[in-house]
Amino acid sequence: MRMKIMATSLLQTLGLGLLGPAACLATLLLGASSTSAGAAGGADAALAPPLTIIVPFTPGGDSDLSARALAPFAQKYLHASSVQVLNKPGAAGQGGVPSTKAFLEATPDGNTVLMGRGGNIAVAPALMVHAPYTPEDFTILAVLQIDPLVCAVRADSPYQKPRDVVDDIRARPGAVRYSTAGIGSVQNLSVLYFVKISGLKPDGVKAVHLASSGDATRALLDGEVELSCGSVLLMVPHIKSGRLRGLFGTSPTGRLAQLPAMPSAQEVGLRDMSKMVGWSVLVAPPKMPAPALARWRTALQKIADDPQWVNGIEQSGGLVAIKSLPRPAEFVNDQFNLYEELGINLGLRK
């Protein structure tokens, strides 16, 4: 059995630092973690067994709220007699890793699934030398949504475009500061990746590690740092109010609908930055029987066409990914490989 080596200083932030804007999906919730059988598709429908969606984090985070937003739709299209969202966060500071590992022992009958985020499914194991699991250990049902980032500076910053940031880092190594939600957070890794693909050394920028993504945004607003990359929900209001200037967004589909005047990463010559996104993924235990897998994938295709669920994703600043990523396991494995390589190159693996 592979050893678990938990790098607490790294994983403390993965639960929060890699959170995207899924919290806004709370508007879709029906007010409870379990929905009634009456919503499952009508009295005449043959009801399937109860469904449990495991969340390896505490209530209120993106994984939790994504699961609760999905629950009524999963019940409707799977004809489940009930759906329970069950939080199993494990010990504090471990980024959901222990509970995610334990989930691999669940019965692969399709009645117990796990709602993961990029942090616990890909980034955490990628940054661990002796990871307790990799994405290949799971049955990947679907990537539900992708949450792009916005890299921004203060409105009064001399940086007008990404090239200005690169030139300043090159001219003043170590002087340019950026805020993060902690070591290994998306704010941390996205800026380091930006520096890497721009041909600069990682020590050319100075990280200011804070407790949360909200704190990272506030540090930028208060002038404590020169640069930060954060979620659409956190950045867009301040860009629209004129307090921040968006340099680019990392949406793989181009410009963000919320900020049509801001260029995409592709437009500013940073195509690979579109890999730096948050995401929610629904997984099952390994060796899931083909009928159970087919049942879930059929239901997920129907969920992807449900305007109420789609509207919730879009209102949160996310991109619906169920149909745009027909090979979800390939996407998740690519993300794992990206962060593993980045961790090795930057000396972040513990």
Side-chain angles (χ1 to χ4, degrees), residues 37 94 103 203 218 226 267 276 284 294 305 309 347:
Q94 295 185 337
F103 172 75
D203 58 3
R218 283 190 291 273
E226 285 71 45
E267 291 177 285
M276 287 288 150
D305 289 330
W309 184 79

Side-chain angles (χ1 to χ4, degrees), residues 49-65:
L51 172 68
T52 299
I53 305 176
I54 302 293
V55 174
F57 300 102
T58 55
D62 285 315
S63 177
D64 176 68
L65 292 172

Side-chain angles (χ1 to χ4, degrees), residues 239-240 246-249 255-264 267-268:
I239 293 173
K240 287 187 173 181
L247 297 179
F248 63 89
R255 295 194 178 196
L256 295 170
Q258 298 88 342
L259 295 171
M262 184 183 69
S264 66
E267 291 177 285
V268 295

